[in-house]
Amino acid sequence: MEKGRQNKYIHIVHIHEKFYPHMGGSTFRLLNLLNGVAKQNPNFKFTVLCENHTKNLLSEETLSSNINIIRFKSYSLIPFLLFNLARQKRIDILHAHNYRPLFFTFLSNFFLRKPLVVEMHYVYKTSFLKQIIVNILFKLMQKNEIITISEKSKKYLSKIYKIPDERIKVVYNGIDLDFFKNFHTILKSDDYQRIFKFISKFKLKIGYIGSFYDWQGIFNFVEVARRVVEERKDRGFIMVGDGPEFLKIKKLIEKYSLEKNILVHSSVSQDKIPLFYNLIDILLLPRPSTLATETAIPLKPIEALACKKIVVGTKVGGLSELKEKITDGIFLFNRLEKIVTFLKEFDAKKYELEKIPEKLNIFSDLYQSKNLIDIYHGLTKKN
């Protein structure tokens, strides 16, 4: 009876890096896609193997009716966990995320013999030896699928690892558009009164939300703010998030005496993110040119556009690809000086954003999770 019941489901095991409760972009991406799959087909069940990144999290956790989490303290434990899971449940597909989970999943699959998907959330340069190993893995995965999050990533992987284009599928980030469209109906929380009080003083409100890494453009953000407020004291800036550069950013703001115009706040929970967009007029993403920013389309500008907010940033590949898809509401510049000028002279009356959400359907969780479902069905038919 138990075996017959399980056969009704398609069980996908995701082998991830950091996942819930880690609130990084990779977590939101996977959660959005899995929830989108569940909305369309409840017969999919997911197990996520992920790093116990605090070392103190539960080794197993049920996140929802269709998502279970198993955490490991060392990547070398992945084969053991997969073999143990395979003894308890039927596994239909293995879905590895990025290089390191792929390596240990691939070793396990010599024995498990399951259809395998590898998904590259971002691409980055590796050592010569690692690149050789990854190249061998991709060549051995002739019957399996490779997923990237942008066309730019696809072109890079195809070129560097000599992978035929038809073997690489693009699944963009997807969000729950209705959740962000209805951001204005969410009541202000007392927890964030400090932010409300600070930013409400300014005529133009500019924000950043995300992880505090140099490659995300956070230092460029402070530099742009510094130059803007030299002439326009009516411009206010807020930065929300966490990461290794958090304290450096706070010290830099103190160094330039920008506390009256820039507020830094720790990260907020996913359900409160629309509150952040409700407070700002512009999402500012002055990202430097790196392999990651040239090939990845981030989640935050999609969320901001869904909330009818303007996105301003640099002409890096990921943001440029997003602009090609959406066209309206995104302003990209080659140099920080041009961003500074744009923010100094910005007049909200010139920009009409009411129709922007209608153009975002390609980035909905339902649209992109359908692409994922098609990949899964294709693999199950092959096997």
Side-chain angles (χ1 to χ4, degrees):
M1 182 69 180
E2 178 67 12
K3 184 176 181 181
R5 185 187 67 79
Q6 287 185 0
N7 287 339
K8 294 181 181 179
Y9 300 109
I10 299 176
H11 181 209
I12 316 293
V13 179
H14 287 261
I15 304 88
H16 209 272
E17 296 173 312
K18 291 180 181 179
F19 189 60
Y20 181 87
H22 172 71
M23 291 290 103
S26 61
T27 296
F28 292 137
R29 169 179 169 80
L30 183 54
L31 281 176
N32 289 344
L33 288 174
L34 297 191
N35 288 332
V37 169
K39 291 176 187 176
Q40 299 179 79
N41 192 334
N43 289 330
F44 279 95
K45 301 295 181 182
F46 301 99
T47 299
V48 181
L49 270 61
C50 59
E51 182 182 355
N52 196 329
H53 59 279
T54 72
K55 308 301 181 186
N56 297 313
L57 299 171
L58 294 174
S59 58
E60 295 190 28
E61 182 177 356
T62 299
L63 191 58
S64 67
S65 60
N66 69 315
I67 303 175
N68 291 318
I69 300 174
I70 299 175
R71 298 187 177 93
F72 53 81
K73 292 187 177 181
S74 169
Y75 282 84
S76 61
L77 292 174
I78 288 174
F80 169 79
L81 292 172
L82 286 175
F83 296 149
N84 189 49
L85 186 62
R87 286 197 296 265
Q88 300 175 28
K89 300 179 181 180
R90 167 183 166 180
I91 296 176
D92 294 291
I93 295 172
L94 298 172
H95 188 145
H97 297 255
N98 298 326
Y99 295 133
R100 189 156 46 158
L102 169 63
F103 176 76
F104 289 101
T105 304
F106 189 85
L107 292 179
S108 308
N109 211 30
F110 272 117
F111 303 96
L112 294 174
R113 301 290 182 180
K114 301 296 181 182
L116 176 60
V117 178
V118 57
E119 177 176 336
M120 297 303 299
H121 288 235
Y122 53 94
V123 294
Y124 51 90
K125 292 182 179 179
T126 62
S127 66
F128 181 72
L129 178 59
K130 287 183 180 179
Q131 186 165 314
I132 291 175
I133 294 172
V134 174
N135 200 14
I136 293 172
L137 290 177
F138 283 150
K139 285 183 178 179
L140 291 173
M141 289 176 56
Q142 293 296 326
K143 295 183 179 180
N144 300 288
E145 297 288 353
I146 300 170
I147 296 174
T148 67
I149 66 172
S150 71
E151 290 292 342
K152 298 266 189 320
S153 295
K154 176 178 178 177
K155 290 179 180 178
Y156 177 84
L157 287 177
S158 179
K159 178 181 178 181
I160 200 74
Y161 295 115
K162 313 300 181 186
I163 305 171
D165 281 356
E166 60 271 16
R167 286 190 56 214
I168 306 176
K169 305 293 192 300
V170 176
V171 178
Y172 287 117
N173 280 319
I175 65 170
D176 184 340
L177 293 178
D178 290 334
F179 175 68
F180 287 95
K181 282 181 183 178
N182 298 325
F183 72 98
H184 56 277
T185 65
I186 300 175
L187 297 176
K188 293 181 179 180
S189 168
D190 290 339
D191 296 339
Y192 304 109
Q193 283 300 319
R194 184 170 73 97
I195 305 178
F196 302 143
K197 185 176 180 180
F198 174 86
I199 202 66
S200 61
K201 301 178 293 185
F202 300 99
K203 182 177 181 180
L204 184 66
K205 305 163 184 65
I206 302 158
Y208 168 84
I209 182 169
S211 55
F212 279 52
Y213 288 94
D214 187 9
W215 64 270
Q216 294 276 26
I218 54 171
F219 291 101
N220 286 343
F221 184 100
V222 175
E223 178 60 20
V224 168
R226 185 183 70 81
R227 297 186 197 180
V228 169
V229 300
E230 284 177 349
E231 295 183 21
R232 298 299 302 261
K233 303 298 183 185
D234 60 347
R235 271 49 177 155
F237 297 79
I238 52 176
M239 303 180 74
V240 175
D242 279 310
E245 311 289 2
F246 186 86
L247 292 179
K248 287 184 180 179
I249 287 295
K250 294 196 73 171
K251 289 179 180 178
L252 190 61
I253 291 170
E254 293 173 3
K255 176 183 176 181
Y256 291 134
S257 300
L258 295 171
E259 297 95 330
K260 291 183 178 180
N261 287 82
I262 305 180
L263 175 67
V264 181
H265 192 280
S266 58
S267 61
V268 299
S269 60
Q270 174 68 1
D271 63 318
K272 296 295 192 303
I273 287 178
L275 286 171
F276 168 83
Y277 293 116
N278 192 22
L279 292 174
I280 65 172
D281 304 302
I282 294 174
L283 179 71
L284 177 59
L285 299 171
R287 302 176 121 198
S289 177
T290 67
L291 186 54
T293 59
E294 292 293 346
T295 56
I297 298 177
L299 268 170
K300 297 311 175 189
I302 302 171
E303 296 173 350
L305 290 168
C307 292
K308 302 177 184 178
K309 304 300 178 179
I310 286 173
V311 175
V312 176
T314 44
K315 283 186 179 179
V316 291
L319 290 174
S320 296
E321 185 171 335
L322 178 62
K323 183 173 174 59
E324 290 170 6
K325 299 290 183 182
I326 305 301
T327 67
D328 295 330
I330 305 175
F331 299 87
L332 304 179
F333 303 93
N334 289 320
R335 301 194 309 273
L336 295 185
E337 291 82 359
K338 292 187 176 182
I339 294 178
V340 171
T341 300
F342 180 85
L343 295 179
K344 285 180 179 178
E345 300 175 353
F346 182 82
D347 182 357
K349 295 179 181 179
K350 295 180 181 179
Y351 304 99
E352 178 57 60
L353 301 181
E354 290 300 316
K355 295 182 179 180
I356 282 181
E358 297 175 9
K359 301 177 183 180
L360 280 173
N361 288 335
I362 187 177
F363 294 105
S364 73
D365 55 352
L366 295 178
Y367 191 105
Q368 292 305 321
S369 59
K370 183 181 183 302
N371 292 335
L372 190 59
I373 290 172
D374 290 343
I375 291 172
Y376 289 154
H377 280 158
L379 284 172
T380 54
K381 288 177 181 177
K382 288 180 184 179
N383 293 270

